């Protein structure tokens, strides 16, 4: 870098107003002295203010202590002095406004004093007196409710006891013959200390014995001329139509195809022929009794069962029929369309009512008053049982079931099942097959029991004859337990009949109606007696005597 020569021509003159170095040093010293003096003065002012502020705080704390009520301890934090300091630092006008409004301001001292006064003034309540007051007021207010509740509880307990008493079997006096139960059994089980040899031999019975048993059952031959094995075979036989009832799924598959429509129509026509022929046999005293049972439909149609009996059966003097249950719509249809008259012997006595209150036709109102109909609260219960008596009323019931079979059973149901002790048009022979269950386990103090079971729709003639065969095969001792179809649990009804004279028909008219001998005729004619409105639950045979226990079977809903 080239240096400028130090000659006069190259010297730059300094302006007159530019301070010299000496002046700059003097000025810097003055500024430093002034700064030190300002700092010292500031420290002195801060110390003075701190001293004054502490004095004010101590004076305010000592001069204006808050008034604390006796017994109340004030906390470590107090804002009374701070409030006074704030007022003193305010201008006079603002201080005047604060003092003017200070009377309405609530302080901590006021709150603590009020709490203490409230605690001291609160009355003390005895817990025992309070509980006594609550209990007395509660019992006085709800005395009637408690009484009603007690009465309802007692009524419910009484109802439960009555229900348990109804379910408890009642024993009949011992007799040489068991009573004839007109209900349908679904299963029976026999037990005996001796093995059931007849049932074991039936598995390999000869063809001659089987054909003889069939011929004897079809012709209602007497039991005296047959062997015990032939009687065993014929005792399990009955006539029915159709042979097999189609389930809802099978019927739905058949209805889906056009080619099967004729098959279902033929099935319906064959059932009507069978029903017509069986009813005419009943009217002409060629059949003593038969059953009509509706199957279960696809839409859970309510099942029903009807018992038809000839004059003299079960002590009833006239031709009669019993329908296990009904509905208000069914009763109204039979009354209006077929002019049928029936009674409801199991229904409670109806209340007398005026025709104008019910807004019913004259004929329906009169039947309602007499007990011919009832409300919907009795639909499909055992109280809704219908009893038809006399040739005219039974004929009307036959016409209704014949013409309205699909309406009675349901559109999706199969044809009803017909069961009878005698042959009828389109009937097939149905034989039940008892099954040997073997011996029971050996229990200390009890003998080994051999068991025999029979399942299916068991009509009364099958059970009665089969029990007689078991009695002859096991003369020492045996026991039988039966399960009853709920729909037939009311067929032992014994209504008060005034329509027909109580004239006993001669014995000869029953020999062609399904009975085999005079002893069976007398049993079929005997009234239910103590069996009325009940069913046989179990049977105990010992030393030539039968002990029967009964129970009440309610209709399923």
């Amino acid at each position: 870098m080239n240096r400028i020569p130090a000659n006069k021509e190259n010297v730059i003159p300094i302006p007159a107003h530019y301070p010299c170095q000496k002046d700059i040093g003097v000025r810097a010293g003055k500024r430093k002295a002034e700064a030190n003096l300002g700092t010292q003065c500031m420290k002195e002012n801060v110390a003075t203010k701190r001293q004054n502020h502490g004095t004010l705080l101590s004076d305010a704390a000592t001069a204006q202590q808050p008034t604390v009520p006796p017994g109340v301890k004030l906390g470590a934090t107090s804002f009374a002095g701070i409030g006074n300091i704030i007022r003193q630092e305010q201008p006079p006008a603002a201080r005047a406004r604060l003092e003017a409004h200070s009377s309405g301001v609530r302080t901590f001292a006021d709150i603590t004093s009020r709490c203490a006064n409230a605690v001291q003034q609160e009355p003390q309540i005895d817990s025992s007196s309070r509980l006594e007051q609550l209990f007395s007021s509660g019992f006085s207010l709800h005395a009637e409710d408690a009484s009603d509740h007690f009465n309802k509880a007692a009524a419910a307990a009484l109802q439960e006891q009555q229900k348990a008493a109804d379910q408890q079997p009642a024993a009949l006096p011992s007799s040489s013959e068991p009573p004839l139960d007109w209900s349908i059994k679904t299963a029976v089980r026999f037990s005996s200390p001796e093995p059931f040899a007849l049932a074991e031999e039936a598995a390999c019975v000869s063809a001659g014995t089987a054909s003889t048993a069939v011929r004897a059952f079809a012709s209602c031959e007497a039991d005296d001329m047959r062997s015990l094995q032939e009687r065993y075979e014929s005792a399990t036989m009955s006539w029915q139509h159709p042979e097999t009832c189609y389930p809802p799924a099978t019927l739905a598959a058949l209805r889906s195809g056009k080619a099967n429509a004729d098959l279902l129509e033929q099935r319906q026509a064959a059932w009507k022929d069978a029903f017509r022929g069986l009813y005419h046999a009943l009217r002409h005293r060629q059949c003593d009794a038969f059953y009509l049972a509706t199957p279960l439909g696809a839409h859970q149609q309510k099942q029903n069962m009807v018992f038809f009996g000839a004059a003299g059966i079960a002590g009833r003097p006239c031709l009669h029929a019993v329908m296990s249950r009904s509905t208000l719509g069914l009763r109204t249809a039979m009354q209006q369309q077929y002019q049928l008259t029936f009674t409801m012997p199991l229904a409670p006595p109806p209340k007398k009512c005026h025709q104008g209150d019910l807004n019913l036709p004259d004929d329906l109102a009169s039947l309602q008053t007499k007990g011919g109909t009832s409300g919907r609260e009795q639909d499909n219960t055992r109280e809704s049982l219908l009893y038809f008596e006399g040739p005219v009323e039974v004929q009307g019931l036959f016409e209704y079931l014949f013409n309205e079979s699909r309406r009675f059973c349901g559109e999706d149901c199969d044809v009803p099942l017909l069961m009878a002790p005698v042959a009828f048009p389109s009937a097939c022979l149905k034989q039940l097959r008892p099954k040997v269950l073997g011996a029971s386990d050996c229990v200390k103090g009890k003998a080994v029991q051999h068991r025999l079971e029979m399942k299916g729709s068991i009509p009364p003639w099958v059970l009665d004859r089969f029990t007689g065969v078991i009695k002859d095969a096991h003369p020492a001792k045996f026991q039988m337990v039966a399960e009853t179809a709920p729909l037939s649990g009311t067929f032992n009804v014994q209504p008060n009949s005034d329509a027909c004279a109580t004239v006993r028909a001669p014995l000869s008219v029953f020999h062609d109606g399904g009975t085999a001998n005079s002893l069976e005729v007398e049993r079929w004619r005997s009234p239910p007696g103590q069996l009325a409105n009940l069913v046989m639950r179990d049977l105990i045979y010992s030393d030539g005597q039968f002990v029967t226990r009964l129970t009440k079977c309610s209709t399923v809903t």
Side-chain angles (χ1 to χ4, degrees), residues 353-360 365:
C353 51
H354 300 285
Q355 301 179 7
D357 297 338
L358 293 176
N359 297 324
L360 295 174

Side-chain angles (χ1 to χ4, degrees), residues 71-319:
V72 178
K73 185 178 180 180
L74 190 64
T77 304
S78 177
F79 295 92
I82 298 176
N84 295 331
I85 295 173
I86 295 175
R87 291 188 183 93
Q88 292 177 3
E89 292 182 353
Q90 295 293 332
R95 191 186 309 168
R97 287 195 300 268
L98 289 174
E99 291 177 357
H101 294 286
S102 61
S103 59
V105 177
R106 186 175 299 176
T107 62
F108 286 107
D110 298 336
I111 296 174
T112 54
S113 61
R114 291 182 183 182
C115 292
N117 295 332
V119 170
Q120 293 178 0
Q121 295 177 2
E122 183 178 359
Q124 298 294 329
I125 300 177
D126 189 6
S127 59
S128 61
S129 62
R130 179 59 176 168
L131 290 175
E132 183 179 0
Q133 181 181 1
L134 290 175
F135 274 97
S136 61
S137 61
F139 281 114
S140 62
L141 289 175
H142 303 286
E144 297 180 358
D145 295 342
S147 178
D148 294 342
H149 180 72
F150 178 77
N151 294 334
K152 291 180 180 179
L158 183 61
Q159 186 177 3
E160 292 294 334
Q161 294 178 0
Q162 184 66 26
K163 185 177 179 181
D166 293 340
Q167 293 179 353
Q168 185 176 3
L172 293 180
S174 60
S175 60
S176 58
E177 296 292 338
L180 186 63
D181 187 1
W182 289 101
S183 63
I184 300 293
K185 306 300 180 182
T186 57
V188 292
R189 177 176 293 185
F190 293 85
S191 59
S192 174
E194 301 177 358
F196 295 95
L198 285 176
E200 296 175 356
E201 295 174 1
C204 55
V205 68
S206 62
T209 303
S211 61
T212 302
V214 172
R215 184 172 62 252
F217 171 74
S219 59
C220 296
E221 293 182 2
D223 297 338
D224 300 337
M225 304 302 295
R226 292 181 291 166
S227 64
L228 195 60
Q229 189 64 47
E230 292 174 354
R231 288 176 55 194
Y232 178 88
E233 291 292 328
S234 60
T236 58
M237 296 179 184
S238 180
W239 298 96
Q240 74 176 37
H241 178 86
E243 181 180 3
T244 304
C245 292
Y246 291 160
T250 304
L251 291 176
L254 292 175
R255 290 190 179 97
S256 61
K258 296 181 179 180
N260 299 324
D262 296 338
L263 177 62
L264 295 178
E265 292 296 333
Q266 294 175 4
R267 184 178 179 86
Q268 183 72 20
W271 179 86
K272 288 188 175 182
D273 292 340
F275 186 33
R276 185 191 298 109
L278 187 56
Y279 175 72
H280 288 321
L282 181 73
R283 291 290 301 268
H284 290 83
R285 297 183 179 271
Q286 296 178 0
C287 178
D288 293 339
F290 72 90
Y291 294 86
L292 182 149
T294 62
L296 184 63
H299 299 292
Q300 303 297 321
Q301 179 75 17
K302 294 293 185 180
Q303 290 181 282
N304 211 331
M305 190 175 291
V306 184
F307 170 78
F308 289 85
I313 294 297
R316 300 161 190 159
C318 297
L319 185 69

Side-chain angles (χ1 to χ4, degrees), residues 377-398:
E377 64 276 2
Q378 296 177 352
D379 288 358
N380 294 318
T381 61
R382 62 179 288 119
E383 288 77 15
S384 64
L385 174 139
L386 303 182
Y387 181 73
F388 303 82
E389 190 175 44
V392 177
E393 305 305 330
V394 177
Q395 176 69 31
L397 177 62
F398 163 74

